């Protein structure tokens, strides 16, 4: 049987880094987002029904404001990450996906990741996000992938990873 090897050339831009950072902050770890929503609703309920929650007005207002503060701080951190990536000018990448590993080659670094090192793989409408055991994230935009390559990538993922480690689109 011939080994399938897919080579993709892409350039990551500012929007790619932003989307990956927001995905990482709010969707990859949904606990953070759920906690923010719970805190917000506790504050709103305590303001609307003060006798029900028995919280002082100051705590109620803090509960309502706190999620916005967290979002602002996260957005600020993401903006700094994006600026750092832009300054590094390291957006051009060549990704090789095979049945043995994923290799990502950039100007300054060549990273290889075997399928056993992958903790999670997510496919969104525009990207593949791959999280590794050593806390790295690989971003692969789908804009440079043909329909045939996309299906080949999905087949490799299904064959190489446990179903608990990936989420693919059904397109």
């Amino acid at each position: 049987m011939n080994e399938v090897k897919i080579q993709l050339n892409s350039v990551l831009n500012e929007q790619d880094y932003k989307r990956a950072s927001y995905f990482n902050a709010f969707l990859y770890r949904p606990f953070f987002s759920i906690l923010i929503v719970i805190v917000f609703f506790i504050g709103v309920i305590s303001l609307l029904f003060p006798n029900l929650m028995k919280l002082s007005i100051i705590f109620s207002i803090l509960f309502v404001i706190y999620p916005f503060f967290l979002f602002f701080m996260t957005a600020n951190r993401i903006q700094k990450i994006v600026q750092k990536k832009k300054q590094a000018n390291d957006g051009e990448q060549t990704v090789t996906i095979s049945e043995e590993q994923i290799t990502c080659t950039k100007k300054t670094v060549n990273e290889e990741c075997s399928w056993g090192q992958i903790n999670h793989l997510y496919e969104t409408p525009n990207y593949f996000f791959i999280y590794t055991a050593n806390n790295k994230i690989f971003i692969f935009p789908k804009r440079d992938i043909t329909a045939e390559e996309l299906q080949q990538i999905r087949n490799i993922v299904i064959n190489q990873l446990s179903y608990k480690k990936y989420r693919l689109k059904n397109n």
Side-chain angles (χ1 to χ4, degrees):
M1 183 168 103
N2 292 338
E3 181 180 333
V4 177
K5 206 174 219 183
I6 304 161
Q7 187 166 347
L8 311 167
N9 295 311
S10 62
V11 177
L12 297 176
N13 58 36
E14 183 176 348
Q15 190 68 26
D16 296 331
Y17 289 122
K18 279 184 184 178
R19 287 183 177 172
S21 297
Y22 279 105
F23 180 87
N24 191 44
F26 295 107
L27 298 175
Y28 176 60
R29 297 183 185 101
F31 178 75
F32 179 69
S33 300
I34 292 168
L35 187 63
I36 288 174
V37 170
I38 290 171
V39 168
F40 177 76
F41 280 118
I42 289 172
V44 169
I45 290 170
S46 66
L47 283 173
L48 294 175
F49 307 105
N51 294 335
L52 180 67
M53 298 297 283
K54 302 285 189 210
L55 287 175
S56 74
I57 191 79
I58 293 172
F59 280 115
S60 299
I61 292 171
L62 286 176
F63 275 34
V64 170
I65 293 173
Y66 183 68
F68 294 102
F69 174 75
L70 282 179
F71 182 78
F72 172 76
M73 295 301 292
T74 302
N76 190 26
R77 189 176 80 223
I78 287 170
Q79 190 61 33
K80 288 180 182 178
I81 291 168
V82 169
Q83 290 302 319
K84 188 176 176 183
K85 294 286 187 183
K86 270 179 52 178
Q87 289 174 351
N89 195 20
D90 204 21
E92 290 183 34
Q93 66 180 8
T94 300
V95 178
T96 306
I97 300 171
S98 71
E99 293 174 3
E100 294 177 8
Q101 66 185 11
I102 296 175
T103 305
C104 183
T105 305
K106 295 185 175 186
K107 288 181 191 175
T108 58
V109 69
N110 183 25
E111 296 179 288
E112 294 180 351
C113 180
S114 70
W115 289 100
Q117 294 174 307
I118 294 175
N119 284 345
H120 299 286
L121 182 144
Y122 294 95
E123 180 185 359
T124 67
N126 299 313
Y127 298 94
F128 281 102
F129 298 114
I130 299 174
Y131 292 86
T132 66
N134 57 355
N135 292 327
K136 291 212 179 255
I137 179 173
F138 294 104
I139 309 163
F140 308 134
K142 289 168 52 177
R143 64 179 169 260
D144 302 317
I145 301 174
T146 66
E148 182 181 330
E149 289 172 331
L150 184 60
Q151 193 55 49
Q152 288 177 332
I153 292 170
R154 288 177 180 153
N155 290 339
I156 291 173
V157 168
I158 290 168
N159 291 331
Q160 298 300 324
L161 292 178
S162 161
Y163 73 94
K164 293 180 180 179
K165 290 190 173 190
Y166 66 83
R167 288 194 188 145
L168 299 174
K169 292 289 172 194
N170 297 339
N171 300 347

